[in-house]
C-alpha cells in the first residue's frame, strides 16, 4: 500500500520546501506543479486558465478570463470549473496509486481522504505572519522589491485565494486542524533542520 | 538546556496517554496531577478547591465553593484565583528548569512560551468527537454506565471547562493551532503505535 503525504500550507510557511525535502529524505515522488501540468493534459485547457482557477484568482461565479477572452459567469464557465475539478481529482488519484509520494496543495488531502488503497497522512504547515513575511523577503528573487507592508498584503492575498478555492472545492475550512492529521508550526524553525525529524514519523 | 514538551489535549483524544508514553520513551520526567499536588503546597489551599478552578468548573466571577462554604464572587475570590494562577506559574517553571520533562495541561505551553532557558515544544492532541466518545467508552471504569449521548455531553462539558480556564488564564483561544508547535489528530490512531514515531521528533 502506498504512503501518500499531502501538504497544505500557508504561503511563506516553508511548506513547499518542507514537502520537497521530505520527499527527498524518504525517497518518495514529489508532486507540486506537476499536478497542474497533468491537469492541462486531462482537460486540454491552458495552464494559465487552470492556474487562475486553482489559485483562487478567479471565482466561478464571477467573470473568468479564458485565453484573453472575458466570459461572464455562465453555465459554460461552471462547466469548465467542474472539468477542472474532475481533472484534479483524476490526476491526484493516479499519482497516489502509482507510488509513495508527497503532494503539495491542490486539495489532495480532501480528494484522497476516503481512498482505501493508500496510507494517507494529511499535513498542514503554518507559521505566524511575521516569520512568513521574513521568510518571503529573504527568498524573494533579486530585483523584486516588495517592502514589508506590500509583502504582508501579498501573503494575505495568496492565502485568501488558496482558502477560497479549497473551501469551494471541499466545503471545508482551509487550515482547520480537524481536516489534517498533523500540523506543524514553522515559526522560527529551519525547514532543513526539522525535515529529518518529520521524515522519521513515516519510517 | 532542558527539553520541555507541553501537551494540550481534547478530552478523550488520548493526549494524556500519549504524554505519559512519550515521557517513558524519552526518559523524561512526566507531570500531570503532580502539578496540582505541588500547587497545593504553594498555596495551602485544598486540592479540591484548586481542582474546581483549574478544571474550569467554577468561574472567578461566579460564586465558588471553598471547602463546603459558598462565597459570592468577591475581591477575596479573585485574590484566591490569582494566588492559584501564581502558584501554577511557579510550579510549572520549577519543573521545566529541573530536568527534561513532559507536562500535561495546566497552561504550561503559555507559561513557558518566553522561557529562554528551556527548549520548548508545545503539542496539542485532538480527534474527532466520534472517536473520542469511542475511546472514552472503551476506557470507562467498570460499573460506569454512561451511554453514548451522555458521554458526548460529558466530553463537551470537560472541554468547555478546559477552554474556559485556558482562555481566562492566557487570553488565547484553547486549541487554536497558532498557539502550538505541533498538533496531532489521533482519530483512529493507536497511541501506543504512534508514540515512538513522535518520540523520534525529539531525539
Amino acid at each position: 500500500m502506498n504512503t501518500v503525504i499531502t501538504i497544505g500550507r500557508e504561503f511563506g510557511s516553508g511548506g513547499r520546501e518542507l514537502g520537497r525535502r521530505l520527499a527527498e529524505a524518504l525517497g518518495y515522488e514529489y508532486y507540486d506543479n506537476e499536478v497542474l501540468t497533468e491537469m492541462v493534459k486531462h482537460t486540454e485547457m491552458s495552464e494559465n486558465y487552470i492556474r487562475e482557477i486553482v489559485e483562487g484568482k478567479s471565482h466561478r461565479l464571477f467573470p473568468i478570463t479564458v485565453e484573453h477572452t472575458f466570459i461572464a459567469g455562465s453555465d459554460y464557465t461552471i462547466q469548465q470549473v467542474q472539468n477542472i475539478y474532475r481533472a484534479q481529482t483524476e490526476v491526484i488519484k493516479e499519482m497516489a496509486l502509482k507510488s509513495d509520494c508527497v503532494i503539495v496543495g491542490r486539495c489532495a488531502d480532501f480528494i484522497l481522504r476516503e481512498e482505501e488503497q493508500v496510507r494517507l497522512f494529511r499535513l498542514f504547515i503554518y507559521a505566524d505572519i511575521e516569520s512568513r513575511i521574513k521568510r518571503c523577503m529573504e527568498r524573494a528573487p533579486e530585483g523584486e522589491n516588495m517592502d514589508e507592508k506590500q509583502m504582508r498584503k501579498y501573503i494575505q492575498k495568496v492565502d485568501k485565494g488558496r482558502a477560497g478555492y479549497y473551501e469551494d472545492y471541499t466545503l471545508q475550512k482551509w487550515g482547520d486542524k480537524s481536516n489534517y492529521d498533523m500540523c506543524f508550526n514553522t515559526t522560527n524553525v529551519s525547514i532543513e533542520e526539522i525535515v529529518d525529524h518529520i521524515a522519521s514519523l513515516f519510517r
Side-chain angles (χ1 to χ4, degrees), chain A residues 133-169:
Chain A
I133 292 170
K134 191 165 167 273
R135 186 174 266 123
C136 288
M137 293 190 74
E138 280 167 7
R139 300 187 180 201
E142 223 173 312
E144 196 177 283
N145 296 319
M146 270 195 236
D147 63 22
E148 209 180 295
K149 199 176 153 191
Q150 289 169 316
M151 188 57 89
R152 184 186 301 267
K153 260 193 151 169
Y154 182 67
I155 290 174
Q156 285 162 344
K157 197 179 146 198
V158 173
D159 275 355
K160 201 176 161 193
R162 285 181 184 174
Y165 180 72
Y166 185 88
E167 284 162 27
D168 279 355
Y169 186 89

Side-chain angles (χ1 to χ4, degrees), chain A residues 7-187:
Chain A
I7 309 242
R9 75 289 179 219
E10 289 179 347
F11 187 72
S13 67
R16 168 168 289 160
E17 184 192 344
L18 190 146
R20 189 175 47 74
R21 288 184 183 272
L22 193 57
E24 266 173 36
L26 293 167
Y28 288 9
E29 284 296 318
Y30 172 71
Y31 299 119
D32 177 3
N33 282 322
E34 293 79 359
V35 179
L36 217 91
T37 317
E38 282 302 307
M39 283 166 70
V40 171
K41 294 183 199 159
H42 276 242
T43 59
E44 296 179 343
M45 293 177 200
S46 82
E47 185 166 332
N48 280 346
Y49 176 56
I50 295 180
R51 193 177 288 280
E52 284 267 308
I53 303 291
V54 300
E55 290 181 355
K57 288 176 190 160
S58 302
H59 190 283
R60 66 172 178 267
L61 301 176
F62 295 107
I64 290 174
T65 313
V66 185
E67 293 299 77
H68 311 299
T69 315
F70 223 62
I71 317 177
S74 65
D75 284 355
Y76 174 75
T77 314
I78 291 168
Q79 185 67 49
Q80 293 285 77
V81 173
Q82 283 176 343
N83 287 343
I84 290 175
Y85 280 8
R86 195 175 309 118
Q88 177 169 267
T89 305
E90 288 166 3
V91 168
I92 298 278
K93 288 198 175 182
E94 277 170 22
M95 288 169 165
L97 294 175
K98 209 164 137 197
S99 65
D100 296 332
C101 61
V102 172
I103 307 174
V104 175
R106 307 288 169 250
C107 309
D109 55 291
F110 180 81
I111 291 168
L112 298 173
R113 75 199 182 290
E114 287 171 351
E115 185 59 62
E116 287 177 2
Q117 291 177 66
V118 300
R119 214 161 57 107
L120 177 68
F121 296 96
R122 303 162 300 167
L123 271 56
F124 191 82
I125 313 300
Y126 62 103
D128 71 22
I129 185 72
E130 302 309 328
S131 79
R132 294 194 282 140
I133 292 170
K134 191 165 167 273
R135 186 174 266 123
C136 288
M137 293 190 74
E138 280 167 7
R139 300 187 180 201
E142 223 173 312
E144 196 177 283
N145 296 319
M146 270 195 236
D147 63 22
E148 209 180 295
K149 199 176 153 191
Q150 289 169 316
M151 188 57 89
R152 184 186 301 267
K153 260 193 151 169
Y154 182 67
I155 290 174
Q156 285 162 344
K157 197 179 146 198
V158 173
D159 275 355
K160 201 176 161 193
R162 285 181 184 174
Y165 180 72
Y166 185 88
E167 284 162 27
D168 279 355
Y169 186 89
T170 66
L171 304 179
Q172 292 180 164
K173 198 169 164 356
W174 181 73
D176 179 338
K177 69 184 186 306
S178 64
N179 301 325
Y180 306 95
D181 298 303
M182 304 171 201
C183 305
F184 293 97
N185 186 341
T186 57
T187 308

